[in-house]
Amino acid sequence: MRSERVLRIIAQAKNYNKLPSEILGITNTYTAFCFNEACLHIQLALEDKDAKVIFDEKRLKKDGTRRTFLDMALEKGGNL
C-alpha cells in the first residue's frame, strides 16, 4: 500500500468515524488491530509539529509499491 493511500484511508476513517480496518474491510482481528495501530501512530505523528513522518520508499516491490505487513499477511494466507 502506498503512503498516499494510507493517508487517504486515515482521512476517510476520521471523516466517517470508522476504524481504518473497517474502511478496508479487514476481517482478521489481529491484522485489523495492527493496521489500526499503525494508522494511529501515523496520525499522531502528523499532528505533532515536531515529529517527522518518513515513509521508507526504499522497500519497493517489483511493481514500484512498498511491501507492507498487509502484503506479508496476505502472502501467508491471512484473511481480509
Side-chain angles (χ1 to χ4, degrees):
M1 185 176 283
R2 304 201 77 165
S3 52
E4 313 89 55
R5 291 177 65 195
V6 171
L7 296 176
R8 189 169 52 241
I9 295 299
I10 292 170
Q12 288 177 348
K14 194 172 184 180
N15 287 332
Y16 296 125
N17 199 29
K18 300 272 184 189
L19 292 170
S21 61
E22 291 176 309
I23 298 292
L24 288 180
I26 299 173
T27 57
N28 179 284
T29 54
Y30 184 70
T31 302
F33 170 78
C34 291
F35 186 71
N36 293 332
E37 285 289 305
C39 289
L40 178 62
H41 174 74
I42 293 167
Q43 182 181 355
L44 292 175
L46 289 171
E47 291 172 359
D48 183 357
K49 292 183 170 100
D50 296 328
K52 292 183 181 180
V53 178
I54 299 171
F55 292 101
D56 184 6
E57 300 296 344
K58 295 177 186 174
R59 296 174 47 190
L60 299 178
K61 296 187 288 186
K62 292 178 185 174
D63 65 357
T65 59
R66 285 180 313 149
R67 187 168 182 261
T68 64
F69 82 92
L70 196 52
D71 295 320
M72 290 182 259
L74 290 172
E75 289 166 8
K76 292 182 179 183
N79 294 338
L80 282 182

